[in-house]
Amino acid sequence: MTSRSNPPTLGEVMRGIRTRNGWTLKEMSARSGIPVSTLSKVEHDRLTLSYDKLQQLSQRLNIRMSDLFAEDAGDSAPRVTGRRSVGTIDTAVRVTTDNYDYHYLCTDLRQKRMIPIITRIRARSASEFGELVHHQGEEFIYVIEGRIEVHSEFYDPVVLEAGQGIYIDSSMGHAYVVADGCDEALVLGVCSSADEGLMDSLMSLHA
């Protein structure tokens, strides 16, 4: 008998939550506010949920957002040493704000220490961005398109062109805005932390 090496899908995680609580689809629908037909399609991996729906599910069922992207707490031993996940924009979890469009990649991979995010930046100045953000860990930002200006707590602003990147301590206040003469910029960010709640922290900040 061979052991399963693939991580559970969102549908399997959702079905597991429902089964552990002894809910029917109708009962879970009433509790979450998500139609029975939608829940059924998600459980059968024929549909995914938007960030708004995942947030709604998290709040109404009183579970952490990261529980939808993590293995069961009792599964502490790593399943495999050679994990992989193919990330695309189409399958990413999207979070849209006035300043950014975030696309969280590879959300089917659980218990990961790195969070890859494709971000479209629209904020034009530090004042428009607002307060600098802080979170645990470190991050690397690579400019794919356009030009960005990186503001940080302890350094003067620095401009990065397409093809350039920056690695920072994420606990230091920081912000990314488009540089002069640029309307939008597209970047790849990879955030890393030993904190298992990194996904929750980032989604709360970005939302």
Side-chain angles (χ1 to χ4, degrees):
M1 180 176 176
T2 59
S3 61
R4 175 180 173 171
S5 59
N6 293 327
T9 63
L10 175 61
E12 290 171 321
V13 171
M14 293 273 288
R15 187 163 55 250
I17 292 172
R18 183 171 62 81
T19 301
R20 285 195 298 275
N21 286 280
W23 298 332
T24 63
L25 274 173
K26 187 175 180 180
E27 288 171 331
M28 189 166 183
S29 173
R31 292 172 181 273
S32 66
I34 297 174
V36 170
S37 59
T38 299
L39 290 176
S40 177
K41 289 176 183 177
V42 171
E43 286 197 5
H44 289 88
D45 296 317
R46 295 198 298 268
L47 185 70
T48 187
L49 293 176
S50 66
Y51 171 77
D52 290 342
K53 291 298 184 184
L54 290 170
Q55 187 177 51
Q56 175 181 324
L57 195 71
S58 169
Q59 291 172 346
R60 295 199 180 186
L61 299 185
N62 194 29
I63 59 177
R64 296 179 305 169
M65 181 78 79
S66 57
D67 289 340
L68 301 172
F69 301 101
E71 302 287 4
D72 293 338
D75 187 12
S76 58
R79 295 174 146 207
V80 293
T81 56
R83 304 190 302 167
R84 77 169 198 175
S85 174
V86 177
T88 67
I89 291 294
D90 291 340
T91 59
V93 173
R94 181 175 178 178
V95 181
T96 300
T97 70
D98 291 339
N99 293 327
Y100 299 104
D101 284 340
Y102 298 99
H103 294 84
Y104 285 82
L105 303 174
C106 303
T107 53
D108 62 323
L109 190 60
R110 323 300 188 197
Q111 295 182 334
K112 55 182 180 288
R113 295 289 181 87
M114 296 187 296
I115 310 296
I117 312 168
I118 293 286
T119 305
R120 186 166 294 280
I121 301 174
R122 290 187 295 272
R124 297 175 180 274
S125 66
S127 59
E128 182 178 333
F129 177 89
E131 292 185 14
L132 300 179
V133 298
H134 308 71
H135 55 86
Q136 293 301 310
E138 300 175 328
E139 63 191 83
F140 175 73
I141 298 293
Y142 178 83
V143 183
I144 300 172
E145 298 174 3
R147 301 165 66 238
I148 68 170
E149 188 171 87
V150 181
H151 294 258
S152 56
E153 191 174 356
F154 305 125
Y155 298 89
D156 291 334
V158 58
V159 173
L160 299 180
E161 308 281 347
Q164 294 183 319
I166 188 169
Y167 191 106
I168 68 169
D169 172 2
S170 304
S171 62
M172 170 180 64
H174 57 282
Y176 307 111
V177 301
V178 293
D180 288 341
C182 188
D183 292 329
E184 291 186 348
L186 189 68
V187 303
L188 168 65
V190 181
C191 299
S192 175
S193 173
D195 181 5
E196 293 184 358
L198 179 60
M199 175 75 83
D200 275 348
S201 297
L202 290 175
M203 283 193 163
S204 296
L205 284 171
H206 294 169

